[in-house]
Amino acid sequence: MSVQPSLRLRGLRKRFGQRSALDGVDLTLEGPQIVGIVGPDGAGKTTLLRAIAGLLEIAADEASVLGFDLRKDVRALKAQIGYVPQSFSLHRDLSVYENLRFTARLHRLGNEEFERRTESLLARTGLLPFADRPAGALSGGMKQKLSIANALLPEPALLALDEPTAGVDVMARDEIWRILEERRGKSLVLISTSYLDETEACDRLLYLDEGRVVAQGTPAELRAQVPVRLLRAWGSDPRAIAKAAGALPYVVSARVRGPFARIEIAAEELPGEARLYADFAGLVPRVRLLEPAPVDMESALLFLSRKQTQGTSAP
Amino acid sequence: MNPRRLWTLLVREARATWRNPFTMTILVAVPLAALLVFGFVLSTEVERLPLGVHDASGTASSRRLVAELAAKGTFVPRAFATREGLDHALVAGQISAAVVIPPDFDRRLREAAAGGAPAEIQVLYDGGETVLAGNSEAFLRTLALSTVAELSSGARAQAMGGPAAPSHVSPSGAAGPASGGVRVVTRALFNPKLDGSRFMVSGTFGFVLSFLTALITAVSIVSERLSGTFEQLQVTPATSLEILLGKILPLGAVFAADVVLMVLAAGFLLGVWPEGSVVFFVIVSSFYVLTSLSLGLLISATSATAAEAVQKTVLFSIPLVQLSGFAFPIRNMPAPFRWLAELFPATHYIRVSRAIYLRGEGPLSLLPELSLLAFFTLILVGVALRSIEGRE
Amino acid sequence: MSAPIISVRNLTKRFGEFTAVDRLAIDVAPGSIFAFLGANGSGKSTTIRMLIGLLRPTEGSIEVDGVDVIRHPRRVRDHIGYMGQKVSLYPGLSLRENVEFYAGLHGLAGPELEARWGALRERFELSDAEAERPENLPAGLRQRAGLALATLHRPRVLFLDEPTAGVDVHSRGLFWELIREEADAGRTVFVTTHFLEEVDYCDWASFIDEGKLIANAVPEDLRRRYSGGYRVHIDGEPAQELTTPAIDDAFFAELDPLLAVRPGARVRIDSPSMTDVFRRVIAESTGARRAQP
């Protein structure tokens, strides 16, 4: 692909009846990369992906995807886009191989080209032994892998994946991500996900809330924006420690996470280091070790969701 | 069985049905549309039908009879001098029905009035034009009876029915009641007013209550299975019987209401009221709804998606329309299909429905058909109950 | 361990030639959160369906809260609450009406229902959603409502099949806090998930693969067994790296002297992620299977 995939949206809006699903999305993306779309349930992630895939009638000040205008005829755009919806939408009665051949014919792919790509895709997704199995008889993880292989078959410049790993086990997720990794330098991949480790693997993240992009950047940039200090308090009874720590006035949240208590403190309310350590040393039960930890994606996303809730709770 | 649990299930189902605008529309629109289409547009009204007449008697009485047949505009009589000519025309399709008046008609009529054996007229018709011929035959019979009754008035003897000589067209035909000293051989189709609407309306109940009920039930249960609420129900203390009743009683009530709606619509819009008791008809129909509900349950048990349930219901409705006697008389079918038709509960219900609508029959005379219906219902409800238990 | 509240022995389910669950044996301690894990198609849902009496096993025994589930599949229903992969709230009915419906099935009504639901409504933050129909609620809230309904009749055991699938991180956190509260109140929670990091919220983890149990232990024991252990970095002069299988008293006994000579030194601990732990569980099991055809 010699042309750089690009996307420019300004004031993208979509209403379903009375409900506004997208409320002025501004977004510019240039070049091949993996872009994660995150945000609370009902933020508009699915709608945004569908709009970009040219499936929705939208309103916008500017809506250019791969150089095509979303407000006009999008048929030519669709030939260059791979879209994987949240629910399995391939032909259940066709075999894995037949599904792929069907897609290849729709895209007028030559036979030789089809065989070559299919073999490589099936091998990489681990679906080769199941090529003749009806798609409806595949397990959840295999169905998703087939959907992605199917979307990749025409080698699209833009790939839109709606929660492709929801309800998928760790091994199938790893395989899906191996395929996505191969596209990193070739396509613009948009993927919504609720797995934190997957958001870390993205080049760029968009945080959507109430139909707008309210934060974006690399995972590191997003984490750096978060005015939160993260601490891990270790001791023999992490549950009791979390409870005791939660009572400290500046602690935003204190939750047990296996062998330690995970404690978030709002940066602006952070007391001096000495006071902090003294407070934790005085907790009952005893904190054996207080470990300052780097802010992780969980804290970043939780901060963003809290910020939005507080920001919009006023009538 | 716990009444409170059952009540909880009933209330939920009723609420869900009431609040589903699509279901409610279907429940009102489909019966009305079916009534109007079948009862109005497709009604098999008989008009200006070519009728062959062979008057071998040639007396005043017989001529009066022929004139009466022509008077209503339903038939256009055509006289045939010989019986052979008449038969030939009938076979050739030039006439749809024929009346043969025997040479001794006048004499027998007078003897009958004096207490002798009744006079006989033969009605022949083209078995190919099923509905039309069936209707016209009944009409002919009625006309003939009333005319002859007038002819012999004043000296009427109540002739009690004995087995009549079978007509050569219909060896299996049943004999109609004799009256006024005349006997017309006829079959078991009664529609004295020769009213196509009445015939179709009474059949439409069978069609709607079989097709629509099974469809709505099957789709409702499949949707519940898919949404996960059915599985949730199965892990509550609710028993299979309660779940089953909770599903079919509210739907049954809805369809019973549909029966009343259809009776009223047929009455006020088409002017067709049952000859028999409306209450009896509604009770029988509500009972039949149970059969269809169970069928819907069975369809749902074997369907993975709502679309599959719809397809199966439609598939099942094709023989329903063709074999149940809704559109085509069963007696004209080849024997294997006649036996097959007897296996459809719809066949029996449509028979009962027509008996009440057309003949005004009551529970006593319908007992055999009603017991067959009850038998089918018991089997279907039993199988449906097992399917809902659903423990692989 | 006190007497198990769920006890499964030799549990086997075959569908024709295919063995979905193969001689499973598990014990679940009362009041614990028990994570039941495995890949798609590994037999998790089949097992749960057998445990709650919806599916008859081919072989084996199941006892849940003293009830022989195989012999009395109906009797167990008053003892358990269940939340399937699809949250089973009726669309078209408001949340409140859904509550009344499920309560009615358990014979719960009047002041008793009001008291119980009132408390749940507060704790689960459902008050604003009470009049809404479930189809208009965001997934996280629907999930919480589903959990509230499953606990309404105060079951002794809760079965939750992938309760957090497709739910955002904030709602997942809230959800697990509620699950922990339920466990603290003495309710046993049997839960499946694909978010393997959530295993750290649980007291026990079982992992099945092709119907067989391949790991069955306290999460920290799985970390010990299936990872390189915790890597600990101590700042100061000189900086020091050490590896420990667990952060426990033995480790602190080793750490304290090291910190004593480096006043104010920062300690950084790299914890093996549960996702990596289970990657290794699966890899070892697959390797063992290949080696022994």
Side-chain angles (χ1 to χ4, degrees):
Chain A
M1 182 70 50
S2 53
V3 184
Q4 288 284 299
S6 70
L7 189 146
R8 298 170 67 82
L9 308 174
R10 264 194 316 119
L12 178 70
R13 296 175 301 278
K14 176 67 194 174
R15 300 185 71 84
F16 292 108
Q18 290 294 304
R19 197 175 61 84
S20 171
L22 294 179
D23 189 22
V25 169
D26 299 321
L27 179 62
T28 303
L29 296 169
E30 294 284 350
Q33 57 186 308
I34 299 181
V35 179
I37 301 179
V38 291
D41 310 316
K45 291 170 286 187
T46 296
T47 311
L48 179 61
L49 285 169
R50 293 182 68 205
I52 290 171
L55 295 174
L56 297 176
E57 193 95 18
I58 51 105
D61 302 323
E62 183 181 2
S64 153
V65 175
L66 304 177
F68 297 95
D69 192 336
L70 283 184
R71 295 165 297 180
K72 296 182 181 152
D73 190 355
V74 290
R75 266 177 296 182
L77 166 69
K78 283 182 183 167
Q80 299 191 40
I81 283 193
Y83 170 66
V84 177
Q86 211 163 359
S87 55
F88 184 68
S89 56
L90 295 180
H91 300 271
R92 286 161 194 274
D93 44 352
L94 294 186
S95 73
V96 168
Y97 180 84
E98 287 165 340
N99 264 298
L100 293 174
R101 198 176 53 196
F102 179 71
T103 304
R105 294 217 169 129
L106 290 183
H107 284 270
R108 298 165 172 272
L109 219 58
N111 253 344
E112 221 167 280
E113 188 65 18
F114 161 66
E115 292 294 346
R116 191 180 59 75
R117 291 188 194 174
T118 297
E119 195 172 320
S120 134
L121 278 170
L122 289 181
R124 281 181 292 157
T125 46
L127 285 171
L128 206 48
F130 307 102
D132 294 324
R133 187 181 284 196
L138 297 174
S139 75
M142 287 202 278
K143 277 195 186 118
Q144 290 297 41
K145 286 190 284 180
L146 173 59
S147 301
I148 292 168
N150 187 68
L152 283 174
L153 192 61
E155 301 193 338
L158 191 153
L159 191 61
L161 309 167
D162 196 1
E163 298 240 14
T165 52
V168 170
D169 64 68
V170 62
M171 300 314 271
R173 281 206 300 136
D174 287 350
E175 279 169 323
I176 287 173
W177 270 90
R178 272 202 291 277
I179 307 167
L180 297 184
E181 285 296 341
E182 289 171 25
R183 301 309 302 174
R184 201 187 279 272
K186 298 174 189 151
S187 305
L188 178 55
V189 179
L190 297 169
I191 177 173
S192 64
T193 178
S194 33
Y195 287 90
L196 295 167
D197 54 353
E198 293 182 8
T199 60
E200 289 283 5
C202 294
D203 298 307
R204 195 173 181 80
L205 291 173
L206 311 174
Y207 187 90
L208 241 65
D209 195 48
E210 303 203 333
R212 287 166 202 249
V213 177
V214 295
Q216 59 173 309
T218 65
E221 284 167 354
L222 228 55
R223 283 197 306 268
Q225 288 177 9
V226 176
V228 158
R229 276 285 301 274
L230 193 63
L231 295 168
R232 305 204 282 185
W234 302 79
S236 47
D237 189 352
R239 214 187 297 173
I241 290 175
K243 203 161 184 185
L248 293 171
Y250 45 82
V251 167
V252 176
S253 88
R255 287 175 181 173
V256 191
R257 191 62 50 81
F260 58 85
R262 186 180 191 283
I263 290 148
E264 285 183 357
I265 297 170
E268 70 229 36
E269 290 178 44
L270 190 70
E273 293 286 289
R275 157 101 190 274
L276 183 69
Y277 278 84
D279 281 350
F280 274 84
L283 287 184
V284 180
R286 187 173 159 212
V287 176
R288 299 294 297 266
L289 177 67
L290 189 65
E291 177 205 357
V295 169
D296 56 14
M297 195 48 75
E298 184 178 347
S299 294
L301 295 182
L302 285 176
F303 167 76
L304 284 166
S305 83
R306 272 198 298 268
K307 185 171 141 193
Q308 289 307 311
T309 328
Q310 281 156 11
T312 55
S313 60
Chain B
M1 174 99 84
N2 176 315
R4 190 144 116 201
R5 272 206 304 263
L6 182 59
W7 178 247
T8 305
L9 287 159
L10 292 179
V11 168
R12 193 214 64 78
E13 187 67 38
R15 262 181 183 157
T17 310
W18 180 250
R19 286 191 192 162
N20 189 329
F22 183 67
T23 310
M24 286 309 285
T25 311
I26 286 197
L27 285 174
V28 175
V30 170
L32 290 183
L35 264 184
L36 292 178
V37 169
F38 293 133
F40 209 57
V41 186
L42 290 185
S43 79
T44 51
E45 207 83 50
V46 180
E47 220 172 83
R48 302 196 61 77
L49 211 63
L51 175 77
V53 177
H54 172 58
D55 183 1
S57 169
T59 57
S61 319
S62 67
R63 278 194 293 273
R64 169 87 187 276
L65 177 62
V66 174
E68 282 294 327
L69 290 177
K72 297 272 160 71
T74 307
F75 296 106
V76 182
R78 204 175 127 191
F80 287 86
T82 61
R83 178 61 193 268
E84 286 70 29
L86 181 108
D87 284 352
H88 189 77
L90 195 62
V91 171
Q94 291 159 359
I95 51 175
S96 303
V99 177
V100 177
I101 304 169
D104 58 352
F105 178 68
D106 202 41
R107 181 172 54 83
R108 290 280 292 274
L109 206 59
R110 268 181 277 115
E111 281 174 15
E120 229 181 67
I121 57 172
Q122 262 181 356
V123 171
L124 316 173
Y125 64 88
D126 176 3
E129 291 198 38
T130 51
V131 180
L132 223 54
N135 280 341
S136 57
E137 176 221 5
F139 187 45
L140 271 175
R141 191 189 61 80
T142 318
L143 263 181
L145 285 179
S146 62
T147 309
V148 171
E150 275 174 43
L151 287 174
S152 57
S153 64
R156 173 169 307 180
Q158 190 60 44
M160 297 311 293
S167 109
H168 71 281
V169 174
S170 168
S172 63
S179 152
V182 74
R183 216 171 155 75
V184 178
V185 175
T186 182
R187 299 178 192 190
L189 185 80
F190 285 70
N191 191 0
K193 292 172 187 163
L194 189 55
D195 183 346
S197 298
R198 178 170 296 266
F199 180 79
M200 290 310 283
V201 160
S202 53
T204 303
F205 281 96
F207 174 73
V208 169
L209 294 186
S210 305
F211 173 66
L212 192 62
T213 311
L215 183 75
I216 298 264
T217 311
V219 170
S220 146
I221 294 175
V222 170
S223 314
E224 203 172 312
R225 251 183 235 281
L226 288 179
S227 73
T229 46
F230 202 78
E231 190 175 64
Q232 191 74 45
L233 273 188
Q234 284 183 308
V235 293
T236 66
T239 65
S240 300
L241 182 65
E242 286 164 1
I243 295 175
L244 179 80
L245 291 177
K247 202 81 208 170
I248 67 178
L249 289 183
L251 284 174
V254 165
F255 282 104
D258 247 351
V259 172
V260 174
L261 176 75
M262 283 171 73
V263 167
L264 295 178
F268 288 116
L269 297 180
L270 300 171
V272 174
W273 295 98
E275 289 288 306
S277 154
V278 175
V279 175
F280 175 54
F281 178 74
V282 171
I283 290 173
V284 170
S285 299
S286 308
F287 182 73
Y288 175 66
V289 163
L290 280 184
T291 319
S292 298
L293 284 168
S294 308
L295 199 67
L297 271 166
L298 286 180
I299 291 173
S300 77
T302 58
S303 305
T305 62
E308 198 182 328
V310 171
Q311 285 169 357
K312 280 184 181 161
T313 315
V314 170
L315 204 66
F316 142 83
S317 302
I318 294 169
L320 167 77
V321 169
Q322 300 193 323
L323 293 181
S324 65
F326 164 58
F328 313 109
I330 293 168
R331 59 159 184 268
N332 291 325
M333 295 172 190
F337 289 99
R338 280 208 302 275
W339 301 329
L340 194 62
E342 296 300 320
L343 291 177
F344 290 113
T347 305
H348 301 279
Y349 171 68
I350 288 178
R351 218 172 264 162
V352 169
S353 158
R354 292 211 166 121
I356 299 172
Y357 251 86
L358 302 177
R359 293 196 293 274
E361 288 188 34
L364 271 181
S365 60
L366 287 172
L367 206 55
E369 290 289 353
L370 289 176
S371 359
L372 260 176
L373 262 183
F375 172 71
F376 280 124
T377 306
L378 275 179
I379 289 184
L380 278 170
V381 170
V383 179
L385 195 61
R386 277 189 63 100
S387 83
I388 215 169
E389 191 79 33
R391 243 187 131 226
E392 299 113 287
Chain C
M1 185 157 89
S2 47
I5 191 160
I6 300 175
S7 180
V8 170
R9 289 290 173 274
N10 194 35
L11 186 67
T12 302
K13 178 68 188 180
R14 280 187 285 270
F15 296 103
E17 290 288 288
F18 174 66
T19 303
V21 177
D22 193 3
R23 285 163 293 164
L24 204 63
I26 44 179
D27 282 321
V28 179
S32 68
I33 304 180
F34 185 97
F36 190 58
L37 312 162
N40 305 116
S42 60
K44 280 189 317 247
S45 290
T46 306
T47 304
I48 290 201
R49 291 174 60 77
M50 289 192 283
L51 294 189
I52 61 180
L54 285 183
L55 189 67
R56 185 183 290 279
T58 313
E59 269 172 60
S61 67
I62 306 168
E63 205 179 280
V64 173
D65 198 18
V67 177
D68 179 341
V69 177
I70 299 171
R71 203 173 299 165
H72 307 291
R74 293 193 41 77
R75 205 175 291 170
V76 79
R77 294 180 189 179
D78 276 324
H79 300 250
I80 61 166
Y82 170 66
M83 185 174 150
Q85 288 181 12
K86 299 166 192 148
V87 178
S88 37
L89 298 165
Y90 281 93
L93 298 190
S94 71
L95 175 56
R96 169 77 203 187
E97 287 164 341
N98 268 288
V99 168
E100 283 167 7
F101 173 66
Y102 282 113
L105 293 183
H106 287 281
L108 205 61
E112 174 71 14
L113 171 63
E114 289 314 313
R116 283 198 204 181
W117 170 242
L120 278 172
R121 189 177 47 202
E122 292 310 309
R123 203 154 64 78
F124 283 52
E125 298 172 28
L126 294 170
S127 303
D128 295 340
E130 204 172 359
E132 296 280 342
R133 295 187 184 180
E135 60 266 35
N136 301 330
L137 294 173
L141 229 157
R142 240 179 1 239
Q143 225 71 8
R144 285 211 299 281
L147 183 64
L149 283 180
T151 55
L152 198 58
H153 59 291
R154 298 191 174 156
R156 295 257 292 151
V157 186
L158 268 178
F159 288 93
L160 312 175
D161 198 359
E162 292 193 32
T164 50
V167 175
D168 67 54
V169 57
H170 170 72
S171 297
R172 288 207 298 275
L174 259 174
F175 196 85
W176 278 100
E177 274 180 27
L178 292 170
I179 292 181
R180 176 47 73 188
E181 286 174 21
E182 293 300 316
D184 286 348
R187 227 183 296 292
T188 309
V189 182
F190 189 100
V191 58
T192 74
T193 180
H194 285 302
F195 291 96
L196 295 171
E197 298 310 318
E198 293 178 348
V199 170
D200 269 327
Y201 297 120
C202 304
D203 303 308
W204 191 273
S206 285
F207 195 100
I208 66 167
D209 186 30
E210 302 199 342
K212 288 194 189 68
L213 210 54
I214 59 169
N216 191 31
V218 170
E220 273 310 280
D221 286 347
L222 291 176
R223 250 198 194 99
R224 206 188 304 260
R225 161 82 175 76
Y226 292 100
S227 78
Y230 293 87
R231 283 213 312 280
V232 183
H233 177 88
I234 307 164
D235 280 347
E237 288 300 322
Q240 188 159 354
E241 294 267 358
L242 57 135
T243 305
T244 172
I247 308 290
D248 51 9
D249 285 345
F251 165 73
F252 289 123
E254 192 183 343
L255 180 71
D256 287 345
L258 294 173
L259 289 180
V261 297
R262 295 175 181 82
R266 290 285 175 81
V267 176
R268 210 172 61 241
I269 300 178
D270 273 341
S271 319
S273 86
M274 266 298 164
T275 309
D276 285 337
V277 166
F278 285 103
R279 282 190 178 111
R280 190 144 150 195
V281 168
I282 298 163
E284 285 191 16
S285 159
T286 316
R289 219 166 39 224
R290 293 229 175 96
Q292 191 183 25

